Amino acid sequence: MALQQPLLGDRNTGGSEDTSSSNNNNSRSYGSLGNENSPRYTSDSAPEVQRLSSTTETFFHIVCITAGTGILQLPYALKTGGWAGLAFIALAGAVSAYTGKILIQCLYYKHGVRLQSYSDVAKAAFGSRGRLIVRSLKDFNLLGVVGIYIILAGISIDSLVIGTPVGQLGEQFWIAMSAFAVWIAIVAARQIHDVFVLSVFGTLTTVVMVVIVVWLGIGDSGLIDTRPPTKLINIRTTPISLASICFSFGGNLNWPELEASMKSPKKWSKALSLATAFIAFIYASVAAVGYGVYGDNVRSPIFLSLPPGIAVVTAKAMITAHVLLACPILLTAVFMEAERDLGISAGALGATKEWLYRAAFRTVLMLAITFAALFVSDFSKVVPILGAIAASMVVFVIPVACYIRLFYQQRHFSQYELAWSGLIVCIGLLCLVIGTMQALADL
């Protein structure tokens, strides 16, 4: 996803709520509300939750959201940090899984009640200002990333059709067509479960692309007479490598909506762990082959180092399809929360009127994203700067801060947990600084 900020920057290619009522429930886990399929919500206007997604569906959603264009920069991340970057992939995966789990735990910090969204977690921990800040960062980041994905897809399609009868239509046309395809999907889909097919195909396109990159890289290794040099670790640029890899694991902005859609929310931890392990495996495969074959000569994206031909064209088509398939899923976290706030539900409006209102609302937002992608000249330069700040905070720092704030009266935090949490916060702040600097350098 999703939230691979450094690559997306490359345009050229109040008070907390009372927690004392839960002090005697230290041992409970998230997702355990008695009847899993009918959780009670804090809002008086509870959403019409339909827990229809299986653990397998959730696995595909997580992989589709997370394993996006950032995978193409991982061999270069190893060039930046050396072979130690493989350890960074494992570390970033562990951090991502941990913050995803504690964020869901925060939804259930009050016994028998589930908060609705990430924003509500921030409100419970830090009051209305906390909710406003997180809501703004989350929505901006997701809407901005979708806009960048649409631009990247349009540019990629335009390069793929050169020399064909439609090769003269231009980037602007394909950007508009990419936005139109996303619009159809988000209007047709009401909730997470409805885009399961998109997640499956999005995951498959990523797997196909990974297989092609690894296959071409291994095949090319036998044609290279002198193996380019590699490093075990590059101390000077290690922080940049770590930040780039961590951004490639961003995606937890959508986790509350994904968990809310599960038939068995107790299996959230299992689904997230399996998906994160799978993502780490394919990341490590691409990174190791790319850096191992091309060494310090590797380029970003990895396509630039691979031998040209139909296989590379196919891989580019796969990643283009992936970013388009991921867009509707990324937007659900924005749309579902906004529609709850606006009272757009079948219970309140009736089925027909609810569909019309929902379609109109989503159409307006898609028009705004499309307009920005087409006509705001610096859109693809400004979004990564603000996105680096937003992603660093909402993916790494804020989940840890909310978790400690909400549970410090309910349980004892060991020194190990506090040290681990402190490390995650430091990584998040490192990503903020380096991501912002890199985005500014790309201006």
Side-chain angles (χ1 to χ4, degrees):
M1 138 205 102
L3 305 174
Q4 295 81 17
Q5 205 60 48
L7 181 63
L8 295 184
D10 185 3
R11 178 62 173 87
N12 297 328
T13 34
S16 64
E17 294 186 10
D18 179 28
T19 60
S20 60
S21 61
S22 303
N23 287 350
N24 296 323
N25 299 291
N26 299 350
S27 62
R28 76 177 187 278
S29 62
Y30 55 88
S32 55
L33 295 177
N35 181 359
E36 293 181 338
N37 299 317
S38 302
R40 291 186 291 117
Y41 288 80
T42 56
S43 173
D44 294 332
S45 56
E48 298 173 318
V49 176
Q50 292 183 302
R51 290 189 176 272
L52 301 174
S53 298
S54 66
T55 305
T56 301
E57 289 182 47
T58 304
F59 171 89
F60 280 107
H61 288 318
I62 294 171
V63 174
C64 185
I65 288 172
T66 306
T69 56
I71 195 171
L72 302 177
Q73 70 175 352
L74 290 175
Y76 191 85
L78 259 65
K79 171 188 174 180
T80 306
W83 284 109
L86 292 177
F88 297 160
I89 292 176
L91 174 62
V95 169
S96 176
Y98 179 76
T99 57
K101 291 174 184 177
I102 64 173
L103 176 59
I104 299 304
Q105 288 184 33
C106 289
L107 295 173
Y108 295 94
Y109 89 101
K110 279 189 174 181
H111 183 58
V113 181
R114 183 192 187 277
L115 300 179
Q116 294 182 22
S117 66
Y118 194 164
S119 305
D120 290 338
V121 169
K123 181 178 180 180
F126 300 108
S128 298
R129 288 185 180 180
R131 185 182 194 278
L132 177 61
I133 292 172
V134 168
R135 178 74 176 274
S136 300
L137 291 174
K138 176 176 71 72
D139 288 357
F140 172 83
N141 198 55
L142 290 173
L143 293 173
V145 166
V146 168
I148 295 292
Y149 273 15
I150 288 172
I151 292 173
L152 292 177
I155 294 172
S156 180
I157 294 172
D158 184 62
S159 68
L160 290 171
V161 299
I162 291 176
T164 69
V166 294
Q168 304 302 318
L169 293 175
E171 290 181 358
Q172 296 290 85
F173 174 83
W174 293 114
I175 290 173
M177 288 299 99
S178 298
F180 179 71
V182 173
W183 173 79
I184 291 175
I186 62 171
V187 170
R190 183 174 181 272
Q191 55 188 341
I192 293 285
H193 177 71
D194 298 333
V195 293
F196 170 56
V197 174
L198 300 184
S199 290
V200 171
F201 280 104
T203 300
L204 291 178
T205 58
T206 300
V207 171
V208 171
M209 187 269 295
V210 168
V211 170
I212 291 174
V213 170
V214 171
W215 173 57
L216 288 177
I218 293 175
D220 209 22
S221 65
L223 304 176
I224 300 176
D225 296 329
T226 302
R227 188 61 56 86
T230 61
K231 297 180 290 291
L232 178 62
I233 188 169
N234 188 337
I235 299 297
R236 185 176 61 85
T237 53
T238 288
I240 298 176
S241 175
L242 177 59
S244 298
I245 291 169
C246 285
F247 274 121
S248 297
F249 278 93
N252 65 5
L253 305 186
N254 294 77
W255 293 174
E257 283 71 25
L258 291 187
E259 189 270 349
S261 72
M262 293 183 70
K263 295 176 184 177
S264 301
K266 287 182 180 180
K267 296 182 179 179
W268 165 256
S269 180
K270 175 182 178 182
L272 180 60
S273 296
L274 289 175
T276 304
F278 176 75
I279 293 164
F281 171 74
I282 62 175
Y283 279 7
S285 299
V286 171
V289 170
Y291 187 54
V293 172
Y294 303 106
D296 289 340
N297 296 330
V298 72
R299 302 168 68 188
S300 179
I302 185 60
F303 292 147
L304 298 176
S305 295
L306 297 174
I310 187 63
V312 170
V313 173
T314 302
K316 289 181 179 179
M318 291 297 102
I319 199 65
T320 301
H322 173 90
V323 297
L324 286 178
L325 291 168
C327 285
I329 309 167
L330 290 171
L331 287 171
T332 54
V334 178
F335 290 148
M336 293 178 69
E337 185 172 5
E339 288 161 9
R340 284 197 298 265
D341 293 344
L342 294 173
I344 300 176
S345 67
L349 302 172
T352 301
K353 190 175 288 187
E354 181 266 346
W355 186 90
L356 291 173
Y357 279 41
R358 175 167 50 82
F361 173 70
R362 296 185 179 192
T363 298
V364 169
L365 273 186
M366 275 306 303
L367 286 173
I369 294 172
T370 305
F371 178 85
L374 287 171
F375 302 114
V376 178
S377 59
D378 291 330
F379 179 78
S380 60
K381 297 179 180 179
V382 174
V383 167
I385 298 173
L386 301 180
I389 300 172
S392 302
M393 296 301 294
V394 296
V395 173
F396 301 107
V397 177
I398 294 177
V400 172
C402 289
Y403 181 62
I404 293 176
R405 175 73 166 170
L406 293 177
F407 286 98
Y408 77 97
Q409 290 184 350
Q410 301 184 34
R411 51 161 300 181
H412 170 72
F413 287 93
S414 67
Q415 291 184 345
Y416 168 79
E417 284 182 289
L418 292 175
W420 176 240
S421 298
L423 175 62
I424 294 173
V425 171
C426 290
I427 290 173
L429 295 176
L430 176 70
C431 291
L432 186 154
V433 173
I434 293 177
T436 303
M437 290 175 60
Q438 183 169 342
L440 287 171
D442 288 337
L443 285 177

